[in-house]
Amino acid sequence: MRFTFFRVLAGFSLMSACSLSETAIDPAHMPLDPHSYADPTEAVVTHLSLNITSVDFDAHVLQALATLTFDCQKADTLRLDTYGLDIQDVRATGEGFGEAVLRFAAGRQDDILGTELLIFPEEPVTGSYTVTIWYKTSPDAKALQWLRPEQTNGKTKPFLFTQSQAILARTWIPLQDSPGIRFTYEARVQAPEGLMAVMSASNPQAVSEDSRYYFEMKQPIPSYLMALAVGDLRFQATGPRTGVYAESAILEASAWEFGETEALIQAAEALYGPYQWERYDLLVLPPSFPFGGMENPRLTFLTPTVIAGDRSLVALIAHELAHSWSGNLVTNATWNDFWINEGFTVYFENRIMEAVYGADYAAMLQSLSHSDLTAEVADFMENAPDDTKLGIDLSGRNPDDGVTTIAYDKGFHFLRLIEYTVGREAFDGFLKDYFASYTFQSMTTERFIAHLKVSLLSDAQWEGIGGDQWVYGTGLPANCPVVEPAFFTAVDAEAARFLSDGTLPTETDTWNTHQWLRFFKALDGLQDESAHALDKAFHFTQSRNSEIFTAWAVLATQGGLVQTELDAQIERFLIRVGRRKFLSPIYQALVEADRKDLAISIYQKARPGYHAVAQETLDKLLGVEG
Ligand code: BES
Ligand code: ZN
């Protein structure tokens, strides 16, 4: 943190007194968050009023005022999370304070957590207290990706988007950046002329003439769901409460691809209760977006790489939509409880897909989840077995280390096992009640298990399924459920035939993306001549389906296939697309095939176009200095 006006010299007592009466959050379920400097027993933010007065695409800086309302317990210090923010001024702005200038200082400091911002009220405060912070973001704020016009679809206007999860909100807003603390918000954004601004809140549907935008989020949300995008966006409705925001060039295709969103919402509601956020819109971002999707409330952020032209990748919408319950209503208390968000969401996603596209379709997704899981568990068991625990301890580490198939797929399979154990009807009743009972609350692994044991599973059942082993043990227990999807029977037979005598698969015209992914998995260990023959017949190297292209590039590279055309397509893809799920396996395959030189030469060209979170992962993978 840099201080423009350094108001604090030295000699403050940083101790703070506090009495423990009732707080806005329930301290019994508020474990210490190892990834935040906030102390919710002293004060919690209950409302944010954000005013972004300038979005500077030349300097890559946001200039803003954040007005935070705290609920305090005789606090003499307010502690916020910041990372690289330039704090210019802090004032008490609540009624009766007459804009008193407050002293502030930098407190603790850490590479992962950033800088603690200490604000000193004039005297210890109890109850509601409001401060306004004038600040600027740093040009390398990790949550912000500033895109040049060439990096967009339209190629004429710049684009900005944020990615706050897990602990990056603090790089663009000073706040208590902990998933256990929830607040409502309103925001004003002054955008550059002609650009539309959208947020995880109520949104405009047209470009504003004066480029000013106003947003409101009336339900309390955790900070990691703060989101903003500014660009040459247009809106197209896809239903009464659904629609798509995208650049004009891809608006039509996006609206078609995601035209079934309302059906997904209805399936979700039929399972686990009403959708609580009024509208559900999608924002299709430029291809450098580092994730598949991000469940920003009311406005899921999406990679354009799921626009396959055949709706074959809409499970991702089901996933982000499911977070409107698992994650956005009932929220992981800390990043150690990440599986509470993601494991439940993959389970819920699968149930939505089953309801809309049938049990055979959902079984394919489950089976692919299972194979990803077994591969990653095997890998981790060699290098970092503790990282295979659902109940992981990420203190002192970057919470991004917990973003693995364990939280997602081990979490999912654990819940599926519980479903099989008690029967679907009982499990659905339990889940519906869980979302209703814990709405707008945080959930720890322990709190969930206690609830599970009281409401659903007998001790004997918990022991019978090896519950403790699943949650606190390493590896994948032997009773992990496995399915044999009917859709994969023919695929496996074709793969086996091809491997044994080189016969090319037939009747592949009806195969969907998931079947091709299964086919590639079944060909693990394929050698270069066979890969070449396959590609001659099916032209995977030219595929515009990002999932198929990635799986193919990995398989062919692992098999030692070296071809100018494949190299050129890999380079083209890695430069255009920034989705980490695709980047890591392709770069990794190149490294393992002794082609690190190529990997690094492509990375040097591609890196400036990647989001900070993708850069961090790949710098590590390729041993490049950031
Ligand atoms: N919330 C996650 C993305 C995320 C997790 C961002 C942790 C930062 C830190 C999102 O819901 C997600 O899981 N995305 C997946 C989608 C997939 C599992 C369907 C992705 O991006 O690949
Ligand atoms: Zn998710």
Side-chain angles (χ1 to χ4, degrees):
M1 189 191 313
R2 289 162 42 217
F3 291 95
T4 311
F5 305 103
F6 213 85
R7 297 185 184 282
V8 176
L9 299 172
F12 282 109
S13 155
L14 300 185
M15 296 285 293
S16 77
C18 75
S19 73
L20 269 179
S21 64
E22 190 133 33
T23 51
I25 50 162
D26 177 357
H29 299 294
M30 198 56 239
L32 253 192
D33 180 352
H35 296 109
S36 170
Y37 293 120
D39 182 348
T41 63
E42 291 176 335
V44 281
V45 170
T46 57
H47 184 75
L48 160 69
S49 174
L50 181 67
N51 185 355
I52 298 181
T53 53
S54 153
V55 179
D56 186 339
F57 278 99
D58 297 322
H60 291 185
V61 166
L62 297 178
Q63 174 82 52
L65 299 74
T67 300
L68 296 166
T69 303
F70 291 85
D71 187 6
C72 305
Q73 302 294 321
K74 212 165 178 222
D76 59 14
T77 310
L78 303 171
R79 299 161 199 282
L80 296 176
D81 295 298
T82 70
Y83 200 119
L85 297 180
D86 178 359
I87 306 291
Q88 299 165 321
D89 197 13
V90 181
R91 295 175 189 227
T93 51
E95 260 174 56
F97 288 95
E99 286 229 355
V101 171
L102 297 184
R103 293 172 304 153
F104 61 93
R108 289 164 286 180
Q109 155 84 44
D110 179 274
D111 279 354
I112 296 170
L113 305 184
T115 307
E116 181 182 30
L117 168 60
L118 305 168
I119 297 174
F120 307 106
E122 292 178 303
E123 39 197 62
V125 276
T126 305
S128 176
Y129 186 68
T130 302
V131 303
T132 300
I133 302 167
W134 280 254
Y135 71 98
K136 280 198 306 194
T137 59
S138 143
D140 33 48
K142 292 186 199 199
L144 306 178
Q145 193 175 5
W146 301 88
L147 302 177
R148 284 170 285 108
E150 312 85 84
Q151 291 172 280
T152 68
N153 279 288
K155 315 265 182 243
T156 57
K157 303 268 177 65
F159 199 107
L160 165 70
F161 67 84
T162 65
Q163 168 56 45
S164 297
Q165 195 182 13
I167 56 169
L168 303 181
R170 64 191 67 177
T171 70
W172 67 289
I173 312 174
L175 34 65
Q176 292 181 316
D177 197 10
S178 173
I181 298 174
R182 315 180 80 91
F183 52 89
T184 50
Y185 84 86
E186 76 210 40
R188 286 167 188 78
V189 176
Q190 173 68 63
E193 206 194 317
L195 298 188
M196 195 193 285
V198 289
M199 292 191 79
S200 50
S202 59
N203 273 305
Q205 293 188 346
V207 178
S208 139
E209 287 198 352
D210 60 4
S211 309
R212 283 173 204 271
Y213 295 90
Y214 177 72
F215 305 89
E216 225 174 350
M217 170 44 74
K218 289 185 178 155
Q219 284 103 316
I221 60 163
S223 56
Y224 75 89
L225 297 176
M226 288 300 304
L228 166 72
V230 180
D232 190 11
L233 293 168
R234 293 292 177 276
F235 173 79
Q236 186 169 327
T238 55
R241 56 175 163 173
T242 60
V244 177
Y245 292 85
E247 292 184 72
S248 324
I250 53 163
L251 187 60
E252 197 76 32
S254 305
W256 184 83
E257 197 83 24
F258 310 126
E260 291 170 334
T261 306
E262 175 60 30
L264 300 176
I265 303 177
Q266 284 178 18
E269 290 186 308
L271 283 164
Y272 304 130
Y275 178 74
Q276 304 269 12
W277 307 85
E278 298 173 36
R279 291 197 57 86
Y280 182 70
D281 292 311
L282 304 169
L283 168 65
V284 182
L285 292 157
S288 68
F289 184 57
F291 297 106
M294 177 64 213
E295 67 273 25
N296 297 315
R298 298 179 68 120
L299 184 65
T300 282
F301 282 25
L302 274 188
T303 170
T305 62
V306 286
I307 304 176
D310 59 2
R311 296 183 171 167
S312 62
L313 302 176
V314 297
L316 192 125
I317 309 291
H319 179 95
E320 303 312 334
L321 171 67
H323 274 304
S324 307
W325 287 257
S326 45
N328 300 3
L329 288 184
V330 184
T331 309
N332 52 206
T334 73
W335 299 114
N336 289 341
D337 309 300
F338 185 53
W339 79 277
I340 294 282
N341 273 17
E342 297 299 343
F344 278 71
T345 297
V346 177
Y347 176 83
F348 194 172
E349 164 200 340
N350 198 269
R351 294 296 305 278
I352 296 171
M353 294 306 286
E354 178 179 329
V356 179
Y357 299 97
D360 286 341
Y361 193 99
M364 280 193 297
L365 301 175
Q366 180 172 338
S367 173
L368 291 171
S369 156
H370 185 264
S371 32
D372 287 349
L373 176 60
T374 47
E376 189 142 309
V377 165
D379 223 42
F380 271 135
M381 287 310 278
E382 281 189 12
N383 309 309
D386 282 349
D387 286 0
T388 62
K389 295 176 179 173
L390 285 178
I392 190 172
D393 181 8
L394 294 165
S395 334
R397 297 172 67 181
N398 191 324
D400 204 38
D401 290 356
V403 186
T404 69
T405 58
I406 302 306
Y408 287 82
D409 301 299
K410 187 177 178 184
F412 165 39
H413 280 83
F414 179 48
L415 295 174
R416 179 114 285 167
L417 175 65
I418 298 173
E419 178 206 318
Y420 290 162
T421 306
V422 298
R424 182 168 272 196
E425 206 182 322
F427 193 51
D428 280 352
F430 167 82
L431 280 183
K432 194 168 180 178
D433 170 76
Y434 167 80
F435 291 125
S437 308
Y438 296 108
T439 283
F440 300 131
Q441 294 189 38
S442 32
M443 189 55 62
T444 59
T445 301
E446 288 65 36
R447 191 183 191 191
F448 168 67
I449 290 168
H451 175 63
L452 185 73
K453 287 184 172 170
V454 168
S455 324
L456 189 68
L457 290 184
S458 66
D459 287 352
Q461 280 173 314
W462 176 257
E463 266 161 43
I465 63 169
D468 286 324
Q469 182 58 32
W470 268 93
V471 177
Y472 300 109
T474 59
L476 188 63
N479 62 348
C480 181
V482 188
V483 288
E484 303 282 348
F487 274 124
F488 288 168
T489 317
V491 176
D492 290 346
E494 294 284 11
R497 199 152 62 112
F498 178 71
L499 284 176
S500 79
D501 65 10
T503 310
L504 290 167
T506 56
E507 297 185 37
T508 55
D509 289 355
T510 59
W511 284 12
N512 60 35
T513 304
H514 313 293
Q515 288 171 300
W516 281 114
L517 294 182
R518 170 66 163 220
F519 183 69
F520 295 140
K521 278 186 211 287
L523 295 186
D524 200 20
L526 188 77
Q527 287 309 299
D528 55 348
E529 314 89 76
S530 315
H532 182 64
L534 264 187
D535 199 31
K536 245 177 105 183
F538 295 102
H539 312 293
F540 301 123
T541 300
Q542 272 74 36
S543 176
R544 288 287 173 264
N545 179 313
S546 55
E547 292 278 355
I548 291 180
F549 178 79
T550 301
W552 168 251
V554 169
L555 183 74
T557 302
Q558 284 171 341
L561 185 66
V562 179
Q563 263 184 355
T564 336
E565 175 60 9
L566 179 61
D567 287 357
Q569 291 299 342
I570 287 180
E571 173 162 332
R572 194 177 152 272
F573 184 82
L574 293 177
I575 288 176
R576 190 173 57 87
V577 173
R579 185 173 172 191
R580 187 168 67 172
K581 175 187 159 193
F582 296 144
L583 307 185
S584 302
I586 298 178
Y587 281 112
Q588 174 98 36
L590 287 171
V591 170
E592 283 169 5
D594 278 334
R595 306 187 70 203
K596 193 168 176 180
D597 289 354
L598 177 66
I600 294 205
S601 91
I602 297 176
Y603 187 50
Q604 272 158 358
K605 292 180 232 171
R607 189 181 185 279
Y610 294 159
H611 188 280
V613 301
Q615 290 177 344
E616 271 176 48
T617 304
L618 296 170
D619 287 351
K620 232 183 269 168
L621 195 154
L622 296 170
V624 170
E625 289 280 315

